[in-house]
Amino acid sequence: MANKLIVIFYLFLSAICFSQVRKKLTVDYTLYISDQVGVTDSQNSQILKGIVKESGNVYFRLYINDTISYFIENNGISSSNLSTQLAINKSKYSTPIYFNTDKTFIFNNNPNFIFFHKNEFLIRKEQIKNWNVTKEKKIIDGKSCYKATTSDYFYNNKSAKIEYEVTAWFCPQIPINFGPVYYNDLPGLILEISYLDVTLVATKITLELEEKKIIKPYGINKISIDEYSIKLSDKITEMIEEADIQEGKK
C-alpha cells in the first residue's frame, strides 16, 4: 500500500509539471545483450559472439497514439544480417506488436518460419498486470525512474514453460503507461527494461507521431500465444521426425 501511495504522490507532481505532455509520441530503444560465459561448443560460441557484437547496434521504435501502441524493429536493411536477426529474436520480438484498446497485444507469426504461411496466425498475448512497484529509483537521462518487477514466460521447443523475471524502470515524469515489447501498464513510460540476457534502453523520445506508421496486424486464424507456441513446437517436432526418416534414423 505504501508503495502505491508513493507512486500516486509522484504522479500528482508529474501531472502538475507535465500536464501538457501529449499522448502521441515516438520512442526509440536500443537493444543491449549481455555476454554469455561458459559456452564451450565452438560453433555455438561463434554464433553467440556474433550476436553479442550486435549489442548496442539493434534498434526498435515504439509509436504511441493515445490508447494504442505499436512496437517495431527499426534496423532497416541491416535486419537481413543473420546476427542482427538472432539478436532481435533474443528480445522475444518476431513481428510488429500492436497493443489494442482491449488491453491485449496482437502480432503475426514469424514470416521467417517458412512452414507457416505469412499472416497465417494473429497471435494474442494478454497484458501483464502483476507488477511489483518498489521505492528503488535511479536517474536515466536526467529523469527519475522507479523500479518495478514482474515475471513472464515463453515455451521452448519441447513445449516446456520457462518463466523469467522482468525488471522495468519507469518514469512518472512522463505519465504515459506504455513500454517496449510486451510490457506496459506502469504509471509512467518505461525507459529501461531487462529480462533474460537483454536490456532495452530508451535513447530518444520525440513528441511527434506519424500515425500512418501504425499498422494494425491481421491474420487468418486468431490464436493465443500459448496455443501458437504448442503449434510451433509440434511443427518443429514433425520436421525433425521427417528429417530423421529421410536420413534412415527411424
Side-chain angles (χ1 to χ4, degrees):
M1 183 65 182
N3 288 353
K4 289 183 178 179
L5 288 174
I6 290 169
V7 171
I8 291 170
F9 172 72
Y10 278 102
L11 277 175
F12 175 73
L13 291 180
S14 298
I16 295 173
C17 299
F18 295 89
S19 60
Q20 300 303 313
V21 171
R22 298 170 62 206
K23 290 189 177 181
K24 293 177 185 273
L25 70 159
T26 303
V27 187
D28 290 342
Y29 290 90
T30 300
L31 177 68
Y32 296 94
I33 303 167
S34 62
D35 196 357
Q36 294 185 345
V37 295
V39 178
T40 56
D41 182 271
S42 59
Q43 185 176 1
N44 284 338
S45 178
Q46 287 300 114
I47 292 172
L48 288 172
K49 283 180 181 178
I51 295 172
V52 171
K53 281 183 179 179
E54 296 300 311
S55 180
N57 297 313
V58 175
Y59 311 102
F60 294 89
R61 180 161 286 175
L62 178 68
Y63 297 100
I64 298 169
N65 188 4
D66 294 323
T67 59
I68 292 170
S69 73
Y70 187 65
F71 185 74
I72 187 168
E73 63 99 359
N74 194 41
N75 298 283
I77 194 168
S78 66
S79 63
S80 62
N81 179 280
L82 177 60
S83 293
T84 303
Q85 280 292 342
L86 292 173
I88 290 170
N89 290 343
K90 273 194 164 291
S91 71
K92 299 303 172 189
Y93 169 98
S94 59
T95 61
I97 302 166
Y98 182 97
F99 182 71
N100 252 329
T101 51
D102 67 356
K103 307 298 184 184
T104 58
F105 298 93
I106 57 173
F107 53 98
N108 292 120
N109 51 288
N110 193 333
N112 293 326
F113 188 72
I114 61 174
F115 295 93
F116 290 147
H117 297 298
K118 183 178 179 180
N119 299 336
E120 181 173 350
F121 297 104
L122 182 66
I123 305 159
R124 183 185 72 257
K125 181 176 171 64
E126 298 297 327
Q127 178 187 45
I128 290 176
K129 296 183 178 180
N130 59 334
W131 288 100
N132 174 38
V133 176
T134 75
K135 299 178 183 178
E136 188 175 345
K137 74 173 184 177
K138 71 175 180 178
I139 304 300
I140 300 176
D141 195 26
K143 300 177 182 66
S144 294
C145 295
Y146 289 83
K147 181 180 179 180
T149 60
T150 189
S151 61
D152 200 358
Y153 65 90
F154 67 92
Y155 290 93
N156 65 15
N157 292 340
K158 296 182 180 180
S159 294
K161 189 176 182 179
I162 310 297
E163 292 194 0
Y164 59 89
E165 184 175 301
V166 180
T167 299
W169 294 90
F170 68 93
C171 180
Q173 290 174 271
I174 308 174
I176 296 173
N177 61 340
F178 288 106
V181 203
Y182 309 106
Y183 307 110
N184 60 15
D185 199 35
L186 284 169
L189 180 67
I190 296 175
L191 296 187
E192 181 180 312
I193 194 158
S194 301
Y195 51 96
L196 299 171
D197 55 353
V198 305
T199 298
L200 282 159
V201 180
T203 49
K204 183 180 179 182
I205 299 173
T206 307
L207 297 177
E208 295 177 359
L209 176 68
E210 292 183 75
E211 294 188 31
K212 65 181 181 180
K213 297 284 188 180
I214 299 177
I215 303 170
K216 187 173 183 179
Y218 73 92
I220 299 169
N221 302 299
K222 295 181 179 180
I223 192 171
S224 73
I225 192 168
D226 294 332
E227 293 168 328
Y228 175 71
S229 296
I230 292 170
K231 282 185 176 292
L232 185 62
S233 176
D234 289 345
K235 179 60 70 173
I236 290 173
T237 300
E238 179 186 324
M239 289 161 50
I240 292 172
E241 289 177 350
E242 288 181 1
D244 286 345
I245 291 172
Q246 290 178 3
E247 291 178 8
K249 293 181 181 179
K250 282 193 175 183

